[in-house]
Amino acid sequence: IDADIEEFLVAAAKTDHEKQVSRIVETLGDVSANKPRSLEFLTQRLSSQDRLDQQVACDSFAKIGPPAHVALPKLIEIAARPQVPLKGNQDGGFAYRESRDLHRAALSAIAAIGASEEAIPVLTSALSGDAFSARIAADSLATLGPRAVSALPELERLKARNDYQGRAIALAMAVKAAKQAIAAIKPV
């Protein structure tokens, strides 16, 4: 990608129009921005007070992949945050879904960029969460191979899980990912 396009987008983001900034963040991901100034701008968006802004930045980092490794510490921090619990019908579950979706987006970005040893605790923790997050985490841990040996107990628990509450397909995918991760981590 031509650096001028990235420079133009980052310069155009200096506006108070949040919807425009959000679209610029998405576009930087779509064009696989990898220039230091673009990555710095996207990393700053991870510190936004708005979870949706953070999620859009996570999604962009997931599209960019390995060149976005500078964002890993912030993505790990986001994925490690406690999720908002579902509290009846107080807000129709919006805060819960928003929190869950941001968590999944951060995990997906970590997986796309390439997990590091620093991500192992947050990935291991995600194995006991919802089936979609568990699958992303197990796949990511598998890429680390034997370096992720500390995750084996939680991977074994995930592998043994059964679910009869309507999430069987998602859980089956997570269990399959756990089996693959165990095979990649355990020495033969």
Side-chain angles (χ1 to χ4, degrees):
I1 183 166
D2 190 324
D4 293 338
I5 293 171
E6 289 184 41
E7 292 294 325
F8 171 77
L9 289 169
V10 172
K14 294 178 181 167
T15 177
D16 291 333
H17 193 269
E18 280 303 311
K19 193 166 190 146
Q20 180 179 345
V21 174
S22 184
R23 287 186 179 149
I24 290 170
V25 170
E26 284 182 67
T27 303
L28 285 168
D30 291 339
V31 299
S32 297
N34 61 10
K35 305 295 184 252
R37 187 166 174 218
S38 300
L39 295 174
E40 179 183 334
F41 168 73
L42 289 172
T43 302
Q44 290 170 354
R45 295 304 292 176
L46 292 174
S47 296
S48 170
Q49 296 301 310
D50 185 325
R51 283 192 186 129
L52 188 56
D53 289 344
Q54 292 174 354
Q55 184 178 338
V56 171
C58 287
D59 292 341
S60 289
F61 281 125
K63 292 175 187 173
I64 294 168
H69 69 276
V70 297
L72 275 176
K74 189 66 180 169
L75 292 165
I76 291 168
E77 177 187 317
I78 290 171
R81 288 183 198 150
Q83 294 184 51
V84 174
L86 185 58
K87 301 176 192 170
N89 288 329
Q90 291 175 349
D91 67 351
F94 179 76
Y96 164 76
R97 287 189 306 278
E98 190 179 58
S99 171
R100 178 203 60 204
D101 293 347
L102 175 58
H103 183 257
R104 287 179 183 168
L107 289 172
S108 294
I110 291 167
I113 292 168
S116 64
E117 284 83 3
E118 294 79 21
I120 292 172
V122 74
L123 294 171
T124 302
S125 175
L127 294 172
S128 61
D130 68 274
F132 294 104
S133 296
R135 181 179 51 86
I136 295 166
D139 285 340
S140 203
L141 287 164
T143 66
L144 291 171
R147 295 177 292 163
V149 71
S150 64
L152 281 174
E154 200 60 43
L155 283 163
E156 294 286 357
R157 275 192 280 286
L158 174 59
K159 181 179 147 185
R161 264 175 66 189
N162 281 316
D163 181 22
Y164 301 104
Q165 298 172 356
R167 297 180 303 270
I169 293 173
L171 183 60
M173 292 173 65
V175 168
K176 180 181 177 185
K179 289 177 181 176
Q180 292 170 340
I182 290 167
I185 295 168
K186 272 189 177 176
V188 184

